[in-house]
Amino acid sequence: MSVRSSLSEAQRSTAIALFEVGLGKDAVAARLGVTASAAGRLFERWQVRGAGALVSMGTKRSFSFEFKLQIVRRFLAGEKAVSLAREFELASPGQVAQWARKYRNEGEAGLQPKPRGRRPADPNAPPREPTEIERLRRENERLRAEVAYLGKLRALREQQRG
């Protein structure tokens, strides 16, 4: 089970037992004194995996573009997210809904895998002009070095005279 869950282990076990006897997510939330959204998330997982909703799904899985597109098209054609999640062994029906939302907002590009991390700098881009502050800081550093050099030169000349 996810560490981020707002339900304790005992609450999750009790909720699953109550789902098994026929209570819905709102009734379970009221009986356990938890939020309806937390009970609802557990209810969705229970619909897909039954009592296995208490067991962690393991590491994060990644899915191909074609796999996501197939599921989204079936979902938009009218199939239930719960049945699709059960058939394809997804963690919850929420995953199907999330892919469908991305598909509606961004089209097929929303289902494409995204590269991780920061994009590399464009080698063909023109060099960036330094800002006023950067230019002044560089000039300040140069002037400090010049003053230090002249001070050492003056000290060496006095040492040679003396």
Side-chain angles (χ1 to χ4, degrees), residues 15-154:
I16 294 294
L18 293 172
F19 294 148
E20 298 280 339
V21 297
L23 291 178
K25 58 187 173 189
D26 293 328
V28 169
R31 183 162 302 176
L32 295 178
V34 298
T35 64
S37 62
R41 286 189 301 271
L42 184 59
F43 182 75
E44 286 179 346
R45 286 193 306 274
W46 173 78
Q47 284 181 307
V48 173
R49 298 190 311 233
L54 292 174
V55 179
S56 175
M57 284 296 284
T59 60
K60 187 173 183 179
R61 295 167 48 196
S62 61
F63 302 97
S64 70
F65 166 72
E66 294 79 16
F67 180 81
K68 293 177 192 177
L69 187 60
Q70 172 192 6
I71 291 174
V72 167
R73 286 185 174 156
R74 287 177 58 181
F75 176 72
L76 295 177
E79 288 190 50
K80 299 285 184 197
V82 172
S83 64
L84 288 169
R86 188 177 299 126
E87 179 182 341
F88 292 102
E89 298 178 359
L90 299 176
S92 74
Q95 185 70 65
V96 176
Q98 181 183 15
W99 290 341
R101 189 171 35 256
K102 281 186 175 184
Y103 181 78
R104 285 184 190 116
N105 293 338
E106 303 172 35
E108 290 186 1
L111 300 178
Q112 293 283 356
K114 307 289 188 287
R116 303 205 44 105
R118 183 182 286 186
R119 286 188 306 235
D122 183 10
N124 300 328
R128 181 180 69 84
E129 286 293 319
T131 64
E132 179 77 11
I133 291 177
E134 290 171 335
R135 188 184 61 74
L136 291 173
R137 282 186 179 146
R138 252 188 273 119
E139 183 180 353
N140 198 359
E141 288 175 30
R142 185 185 59 77
L143 291 173
R144 281 187 186 148
E146 190 175 317
V147 168
Y149 171 77
L150 292 173
K152 288 184 181 186
L153 184 62
R154 184 178 300 132

Side-chain angles (χ1 to χ4, degrees), residues 6-18:
S6 62
L7 302 176
S8 70
E9 196 68 40
Q11 287 174 323
R12 290 192 296 264
S13 297
T14 305
I16 294 294
L18 293 172

